[in-house]
Amino acid sequence: MYSILVGGGNVGLALAKRLLGNNYEILLLEKDPVQAERLAALIGESNVAVGDGCEMLVQKEIGFGRADVVIAVTGEDEDNLVVCQMAKVVWNVDRVLARVNDPAHESIFTRIGIDDTVSATGIIYSLLEQQIMSDTVLPVGALGRGNIEVMEIKLSNRSPAVNKRVRELRLPLQTNIVWVIRGDQGISVDGDTELLAGDMVVALVPRDGAEELRDALVPQKP
């Protein structure tokens, strides 16, 4: 599998090292020649190229046309957006991933069809929020090429799902509650499982059903 990483900062370098460690074919593209030289000394000249990932000629030269995955991890959301959109539209890259530096931009990436985004700020905020309060819906992973999200929700006593059986909930289509953590124990779930305050619910939900799942499990704000 040929993966192109655009952006040779700390994130790009760390990701490149991990992929190389698992014997993936990768190319790390960095537009700063000095930084590219430093990267080449760390991971090998054959794994690094110099150029602007937003330019079509550069993309052609480094093989966007045969890439299985393009990952944009520069520090600029605008650049990451351009790289991913061109990878999708011009080069028909099968899988395109982006680092999002400003969580407010995540919806833009989603609207143009970027397969998946990673926002460190958003993840840290969600983790902090979950430590502070219940009824927080936290995305913890993605399956099925990013089309299925793994969601984690801790139910408070105000949740509309508390004291109801799973079969009584109005969940989004193709959504499954697959696991409940109650105290220190994990409980497998079926339609007769009754949810209690304090339960940590793990659900698989289609990406476009996340808000509907939130409505089913989280109390509405007054």
Side-chain angles (χ1 to χ4, degrees):
M1 184 174 73
Y2 179 42
S3 302
I4 295 174
L5 289 79
V6 179
N10 291 334
V11 175
L13 176 59
L15 189 54
K17 285 180 175 178
R18 294 197 68 166
L19 290 170
L20 287 169
N22 285 287
N23 299 316
Y24 286 100
E25 179 189 8
I26 69 109
L27 185 72
L28 179 56
L29 181 65
E30 168 57 42
K31 63 182 177 183
D32 179 351
V34 175
Q35 174 67 358
E37 187 173 343
R38 187 179 78 87
L39 294 169
L42 294 171
I43 62 174
E45 288 187 11
S46 61
N47 297 313
V48 178
V50 184
D52 187 341
C54 296
E55 293 183 4
M56 189 178 296
L57 182 59
V58 172
Q59 294 174 354
K60 181 179 180 180
E61 288 175 348
I62 66 172
F64 265 53
R66 71 175 186 89
D68 300 291
V69 182
V70 168
I71 308 170
V73 290
T74 77
E76 300 293 333
D77 285 347
E78 292 80 3
D79 288 352
N80 293 340
L81 188 66
V82 170
V83 169
C84 289
Q85 192 166 27
M86 292 180 72
K88 274 282 185 187
V89 176
V90 178
W91 303 104
N92 294 315
V93 176
D94 192 38
R95 187 92 168 115
V96 176
L97 311 174
R99 170 189 178 189
V100 180
N101 300 285
D102 184 345
H105 294 161
E106 276 190 280
S107 61
I108 301 173
F109 283 79
T110 301
R111 281 204 299 274
I112 67 170
I114 305 306
D115 298 310
D116 215 345
T117 59
V118 177
S119 166
T121 305
I123 291 171
I124 292 170
Y125 175 77
S126 295
L127 289 170
L128 285 172
E129 192 177 44
Q130 192 183 48
Q131 292 299 313
I132 295 170
M133 64 184 72
S134 298
D135 294 324
T136 300
V137 180
L138 178 68
V140 294
L143 302 171
R145 304 176 66 78
N147 293 321
I148 303 294
E149 290 200 74
V150 184
M151 310 292 285
E152 187 178 89
I153 309 102
K154 187 173 184 179
L155 305 180
S156 74
N157 55 11
R158 297 185 303 114
S159 167
V162 166
N163 299 326
K164 287 185 179 177
R165 299 181 190 280
V166 169
R167 68 171 76 254
E168 298 174 313
L169 303 177
R170 298 188 63 178
L171 299 174
L173 290 175
Q174 300 181 321
T175 295
N176 290 291
I177 294 177
V178 295
W179 197 250
V180 168
I181 301 172
R182 184 171 295 162
D184 295 330
Q185 292 191 327
I187 301 172
S188 57
V189 176
D190 60 27
D192 291 324
T193 302
E194 184 176 352
L195 300 179
L196 303 177
D199 282 351
M200 181 73 78
V201 172
V202 180
L204 304 183
V205 57
R207 191 167 190 165
D208 57 4
E211 284 303 314
E212 192 176 346
L213 177 67
R214 188 188 307 272
D215 292 341
L217 300 180
V218 174
Q220 300 298 310
K221 293 181 179 178

